Amino acid sequence: MALRFYNTLSQQVEEFHPLESNIVRMYTCGPTVYNYAHIGNLRTFTFEDVLRRWLRYRGYRLDHVMNITDVEDKIIRNAMAQGKSLQEYTAVYEEAFFEDMAKLRLERPERIVRATEHISDMVAAVERLSEKSYTYQSDGSTYFRIAKFPDYGKLSHTDFSGIRAGARVDVDEYDKADARDFVLWKARKENEPAWETSLGSGRPGWHIECSVMSMKYLGETLDIHAGGVDLIFPHHENEIAQSESLTGKQFVRYWLHAEHLLVESQKMAKSLGNIYTLGELMEQGYQPEAIRYLLASVPYRKKLNFTFDGLKSAATSIERLRNFNTRLETENFPEGVGAGGDERAARALNEFENGMDDDLNTAAALAAVFEYIRDTNSTMDAGGFRKGDVASAQDVMQRFDSVFDVLHPGEQAGGIPDAEIEALIEERIQAKKSRNFARADQIRAGLVERGIVLEDTKEGTRWKRK
RNA sequence: GGCGCGGUAGCCAAGUGGUAAGGCAGAGGUCUGCAAAACCUUUAUUCGCGGGUUCGAUUCCCGCCCGCGCCUCCA
């Protein structure tokens, strides 16, 4: 079956076909760099990484743009409080974000664009909206007039007809004609950092950066736009209003939104102290691959209940996958080709692909891989797996790993040098030969304490870091 | 209140109008000097609750209960 995605716009699962046959133009809302990313943010970014990888697996070329929001209320407030420039303040968090991405093995989008580097583009867009009379000014700020955009609410499926025009929600700060109206350009307040432009002294509103930067690089109609569910309203709704008012064309064809994650069945909140960063989890000894696996293994449209039990079980699951992969690489299988090996591999791959094609159903895709591993281990134990079966089995695992990317352990700082491990293993083999099991067990236990696990196999002793 | 998502074994989780994938954890076993790894057996007569449609519903419809999200700048 064809690749399908749930489109927030239609509220239905739709077959995916990009505008141009083999290239996908995609925009994802990146981080606001006012703080370190938390595990919830990383869930969304991990989903987007899986999406990227699956599109490429399916043969599409990608042009993926991700923005960095580096000017915004909290950034301005915090930077001013610390006596720093915006750039000085945001650089720290932007850098940290890229480090997190690397640790979680999130591929880098083709383009990463910053709001502050597109101020003039945004000003130009606001001016064009003004020319088309979609805007009005109030107290030096420029607003988008929702009443001029009848489709407003089509993404969030909200009926705004009940909201009274003239209601003033944000009374203490700005005057808006309509509660739904949103700011395109914010007038400078006191001595805030600001840009001197034809719109006055100030800074861009939040929504305009995504409309402007996405269309600048990807054209007026994007194939995919993704983000967290909380962005559906108002952010993405407002992006649609701005973009479609500007171009008269459909802005985005497929809107994909990742559900939030809960921590130990509770929502993340500062007051609960359950907002974790990648760094904090790694300090507690969890591998980034396990975190990646946990975040990727629950289908993106389902709330993910992040628990430490779940994280531990993710780590164990990865062990199982890696053990199988190691077995393929190291075991000395009999010559020849076993019965049904290629068929098993082909079936597993087919089920894996079907799962992923079905709106990135990673749980179903993983099930296919695990089922295959059990069947194949079983065949190996029975002696029915031969040298000639290795290639198709490795192909399954490689394809799986091209999306999940958890098979190969990352670099581990420190630890015992390989040579020392090998020497101890040799000593243990000699001890075993002379039936000095006490010494053999002592060596093995000593290595376990240092994170090295030994396995005695037919081919001899192999070891792995845990 | 409006809109949306969800409630499947101890935990995570897939799924279909025809009788419950997969992972983790637990129990027993095989293998092993002992382990590790692997394999086998076992763990939901049952899918929030109550009705309805149907030969048959976890899957469709209605009602209810519970959890969560959005409803102006939070992924």
Side-chain angles (χ1 to χ4, degrees):
Chain A
M1 261 183 110
L3 176 56
R4 288 148 286 156
F5 293 128
Y6 178 87
N7 189 345
T8 306
L9 196 57
S10 66
Q11 297 181 294
Q12 292 193 318
V13 174
E14 299 174 10
E15 274 195 21
F16 176 72
H17 299 287
L19 216 46
E20 250 182 79
S21 64
N22 63 354
I23 181 163
V24 175
R25 297 189 171 88
M26 166 161 100
Y27 184 90
T28 57
C29 287
T32 299
V33 283
Y34 74 98
N35 205 338
Y36 296 106
H38 60 246
I39 192 71
N41 298 319
L42 297 175
R43 197 257 169 124
T44 298
F45 296 123
T46 303
F47 145 65
E48 288 158 0
D49 181 66
V50 169
L51 171 62
R52 275 185 60 89
R53 288 169 182 255
W54 192 248
L55 288 166
R56 288 196 307 130
Y57 185 106
R58 279 314 195 193
Y60 294 110
R61 272 201 307 127
L62 278 182
D63 194 354
H64 172 192
V65 177
M66 181 179 77
N67 70 306
I68 303 274
T69 298
D70 58 356
V71 52
E72 172 266 357
D73 285 353
K74 286 188 285 290
I75 291 173
I76 290 173
R77 187 189 63 211
N78 295 357
M80 286 177 74
Q82 296 178 17
K84 290 179 178 169
S85 71
L86 292 184
Q87 209 279 329
E88 282 172 322
Y89 177 79
T90 58
V92 175
Y93 299 108
E94 183 178 313
E95 177 69 15
F97 177 72
F98 289 131
E99 279 170 23
D100 284 353
M101 279 187 77
K103 286 181 182 130
L104 280 179
R105 306 180 179 191
L106 306 182
E107 291 184 342
R108 228 167 144 101
E110 279 65 30
R111 308 173 208 243
I112 291 172
V113 297
R114 293 176 192 78
T116 53
E117 291 170 1
H118 294 78
I119 301 292
S120 59
D121 294 311
M122 293 189 237
V123 169
V126 173
E127 283 181 334
R128 278 197 290 140
L129 283 170
S130 297
E131 284 160 22
K132 295 182 160 201
S133 35
Y134 281 102
T135 70
Y136 61 92
Q137 301 219 339
S138 174
D139 289 344
S141 292
T142 305
Y143 293 90
F144 187 92
R145 194 185 297 278
I146 290 294
K148 291 275 291 181
F149 188 72
D151 277 353
Y152 196 72
K154 70 179 176 181
L155 181 69
S156 55
H157 304 97
T158 309
D159 178 6
F160 289 95
S161 58
I163 294 184
R164 284 162 292 133
R168 282 171 41 169
V169 177
D170 211 4
V171 285
D172 57 343
E173 284 198 55
Y174 302 101
D175 284 328
K176 294 196 282 190
D178 186 313
R180 304 169 299 170
D181 292 346
F182 58 91
V183 69
L184 293 162
W185 186 262
K186 269 190 178 180
R188 178 184 202 171
K189 280 191 290 180
E190 295 161 13
N191 49 355
E192 283 180 350
W195 284 262
E196 303 303 324
T197 74
S198 54
L199 296 171
S201 177
R203 60 189 177 85
W206 176 36
H207 314 293
I208 193 70
E209 70 177 71
C210 289
S211 287
V212 165
M213 296 193 289
S214 63
M215 293 196 293
K216 172 168 182 169
Y217 296 104
L218 300 174
E220 294 179 337
T221 298
L222 324 184
D223 290 310
I224 294 176
H225 190 134
V229 282
D230 57 307
L231 296 183
I232 295 171
F233 187 87
H235 184 53
H236 290 163
E237 198 74 74
N238 291 351
E239 282 186 46
I240 291 174
Q242 294 163 341
S243 305
E244 299 191 354
S245 296
L246 226 32
T247 67
K249 294 178 183 162
Q250 179 173 25
F251 175 44
V252 171
R253 301 174 62 239
Y254 300 87
W255 285 95
L256 273 53
H257 292 98
E259 250 299 347
H260 277 5
L261 82 68
L262 305 172
V263 172
E264 304 285 354
S265 301
Q266 294 184 295
K267 62 179 162 184
M268 285 191 306
K270 271 192 191 137
S271 59
L272 294 170
N274 62 359
I275 299 180
Y276 298 105
T277 63
L278 184 61
E280 286 166 352
L281 294 171
M282 287 178 66
E283 272 169 32
Q284 293 184 40
Y286 295 102
Q287 290 183 0
E289 298 100 290
I291 296 163
R292 174 179 172 86
Y293 180 93
L294 179 60
L295 297 180
S297 62
V298 176
Y300 78 94
R301 283 202 296 129
K302 178 151 180 139
K303 284 182 189 67
L304 191 160
N305 188 15
F306 180 89
T307 65
F308 287 95
D309 275 354
L311 192 47
K312 286 176 195 130
S313 102
T316 315
S317 299
I318 292 177
E319 278 302 300
R320 181 166 168 76
L321 295 160
R322 288 179 178 172
N323 286 338
F324 178 73
N325 208 48
T326 303
R327 196 172 183 188
L328 282 175
E329 283 168 1
T330 61
E331 200 160 309
N332 209 359
F333 301 106
E335 297 293 334
V337 179
D342 287 352
E343 287 74 13
R344 267 197 303 281
R347 191 173 347 112
L349 208 47
N350 190 42
E351 284 171 22
F352 174 76
E353 291 174 350
N354 283 345
M356 293 303 294
D357 276 346
D358 181 15
D359 196 29
L360 307 180
N361 187 340
T362 49
L366 277 170
V369 173
F370 279 107
E371 224 164 332
Y372 173 71
I373 288 177
R374 188 183 8 82
D375 279 0
T376 306
N377 269 323
S378 185
T379 307
M380 287 172 173
D381 288 355
F385 189 89
R386 305 297 170 79
K387 269 198 172 65
D389 299 320
V390 171
S392 63
Q394 286 187 326
D395 182 54
V396 171
M397 296 311 287
Q398 271 164 22
R399 285 169 182 266
F400 150 76
D401 209 43
S402 72
V403 181
F404 283 83
D405 201 358
V406 294
L407 239 30
H408 303 287
E411 310 262 321
Q412 301 203 339
I416 326 173
D418 288 10
E420 190 182 336
I421 298 168
E422 310 282 356
L424 283 166
I425 288 174
E426 187 50 41
E427 187 189 341
R428 177 166 168 273
I429 288 167
Q430 295 310 321
K432 276 173 65 177
K433 270 190 185 154
S434 52
R435 303 195 67 77
N436 183 357
F437 295 121
R439 175 58 186 154
D441 290 352
Q442 186 188 28
I443 291 170
R444 186 172 61 197
L447 283 170
V448 164
E449 272 175 33
R450 299 161 82 179
I452 307 298
V453 179
L454 300 189
E455 294 176 12
D456 296 332
T457 73
K458 282 184 301 205
E459 281 78 33
T461 300
R462 68 183 177 214
W463 61 273
K464 64 185 179 191
R465 295 182 195 271
K466 191 152 186 168

